[in-house]
Amino acid sequence: MIDKKNIILCVTGSIAAYKSVYLSSALVKSGANVQVILSKSAKNFVGESSFSGITHNPVITGYYDSKTDLSIDHIDIAKKADLIVVAPATANILAKISLGISSDPIVGCILASKAPVIVAPAMDGDMYNSPQVQKHINELRRINIHLSGPEKGRLASGINEFGRMTEPEDLLEEIIEKLSKKKDYEKINAIVTAGGTIEEIDPVRYISNKSSGKMGIAIAKALRDRGAKVTLIHGKLENKSDTYGIRMVSVISALEMKKEIENHVENSQLLIMSAAVADYRVKNFSKEKIKKESMNSIELEKNPDILKEIDGNKIVKVGFAAESEKLLENAKKKLSSKNCKMIVANDITLEGSGFGSDNNKAVLIDENGQENLPLMNKIKLAHKILDRAKKYIN
Ligand code: PMT
């Protein structure tokens, strides 16, 4: 899918720059024509010859670089580019891109190009969370620059925080996704649900579940990238990053989620329910904190089955089935009893899959049969779900 695509890889001065050597190699192996721009400070971490050796293209290191001739200067490559990737992106380059300060060929190239841009930040966690960096990140999202990561993990300083550059193989997936982007959900209004609902017991305590909302957010992002207008109705979420362009509606309980879905269903053509909705709520919510001595039992009452109650003749419904046993049998029952066009069945006992994980392993089930998918990241799975659901959308 990226064969013969012109990709500009901009590398800036971070310890993560070595990952871009792998990335450039993976891109070249996939058939892309890769042109590297190396910032001055990046040269402290990686060498020009690594990139020129891998890409078979001269590396641009400055505006007045005697090695480069007119046929590969920053304006020329900017016009031919299919995609620009800045990885790793330091706080410095984020600020410059956001403000349009074109003192180096990386920003000059981005300004002169109409190609989409992916930026993969890498820096210290506190630096990343600083108000200044966050301000620039928000501005980049506003101008439709795609942010990849950063991921949480061990940083060069030794702390475990958000700030790690996306791994090259995951970035490659995102690049492929971006370049093969179909707009097949254009003109579709979609509702996606994500996260776990919260059923309050008293002002302090509640009943909920392990859902992080990652699966639902991945579906919302995939729909957005494929042209749909997306409303994400969500319970508690672990992370809301990169949800620009998605209308976010926050709810607490299952009853609130139901009400919001009903408010939006009239003008929508697709409902994908990946939220983990609590099946029961507390019968008598206590306005006062219940004393532990008197908390012997909690009386519950059944919540409505939202997915089942939404009329499947008015909107295309895609449900999930979170199972710990008899995956296919239970999921097939949900397909018919909830009148869905498709069920995404996931075994929530599999390690590295399901609740809270970045990956998921699922079986897509509809009237035409089933598609057993391997373990994959949730963004990739989201696209697989949309590929199969497409035939149900007019
Ligand atoms: O959020 P993550 O951490 O990324 O984890 C993803 C996930 C495991 C939560 C997700 O992949 C998933 O399986 N979501 C569905 C969870 C669930 O509630 O499954 P269920 O089998 O209990 O319900 C079946 C379907 O009915 C679901 O689409 C659910 O949203 C819906 N439902 C359930 C109960 C209820 N009262 N109303 C509903 O609409």
Side-chain angles (χ1 to χ4, degrees), residues 39 102 129 153 170 184 192 195 221 243 246 250 287 308 312 350 362 389:
S39 78
S102 55
N129 285 320
D170 293 331
D184 51 355
V192 180
K221 288 200 301 201
T243 50
I246 296 171
S250 169
K287 282 192 185 142
K308 193 170 185 173
L350 281 182

Side-chain angles (χ1 to χ4, degrees), residues 211-213 215 273-275 304 306-307 320 322 334 338 346 356 378:
S211 174
S212 63
M215 190 66 243
M273 287 225 34
S274 81
I306 308 173
L307 187 57
F320 271 69
K334 285 177 184 168
K338 297 189 188 226
N346 44 193
K378 285 180 176 171

Side-chain angles (χ1 to χ4, degrees), residues 70-239:
L70 263 184
S71 63
I72 55 158
D73 77 359
H74 71 284
I75 298 291
D76 190 55
I77 61 165
K79 301 296 178 205
K80 288 185 189 145
D82 294 297
L83 182 72
I84 301 175
V85 182
V86 186
T90 57
N92 181 49
I93 201 73
L94 293 178
K96 282 185 171 173
I97 300 171
S98 142
L99 296 169
I101 299 174
S102 55
S103 54
D104 66 65
I106 294 178
V107 184
C109 188
I110 290 174
L111 296 182
S113 175
K114 287 195 165 57
V117 180
I118 297 181
V119 164
M123 68 196 75
D124 166 71
D126 289 330
M127 222 171 148
Y128 179 70
N129 285 320
S130 69
Q132 293 92 330
V133 170
Q134 285 304 311
K135 185 174 158 212
H136 293 309
I137 292 270
N138 287 336
E139 178 58 13
L140 295 183
R141 286 198 180 110
R142 195 189 65 77
I143 59 175
N144 257 346
I145 287 185
H146 177 99
L147 268 295
S148 167
E151 291 170 0
K152 194 173 181 177
R154 192 178 183 283
L155 304 178
S157 61
I159 60 164
N160 199 43
E161 252 308 336
F162 280 99
R164 272 177 77 86
M165 181 183 139
T166 310
E167 292 305 320
E169 56 271 27
D170 293 331
L171 199 45
L172 178 67
E173 291 268 350
E174 288 183 42
I175 289 167
I176 292 172
E177 212 76 78
K178 198 85 186 164
L179 284 173
S180 57
K181 201 162 86 179
K182 302 163 240 172
K183 287 286 181 192
D184 51 355
Y185 277 81
E186 222 157 27
K187 300 199 177 83
I188 297 297
N189 293 335
I191 306 169
V192 180
T193 68
T197 62
I198 286 179
E199 308 299 331
E200 291 178 311
I201 301 169
D202 67 14
V204 180
R205 306 171 180 102
Y206 63 77
I207 300 171
S208 191
N209 56 63
K210 293 181 180 172
S211 174
S212 63
K214 286 181 184 172
M215 190 66 243
I217 289 184
I219 296 169
K221 288 200 301 201
L223 275 163
R224 171 199 65 195
D225 292 346
R226 287 166 77 153
K229 281 206 174 74
V230 191
T231 302
L232 182 69
I233 301 175
H234 64 88
K236 69 182 166 57
L237 298 180
E238 209 169 83
N239 187 351

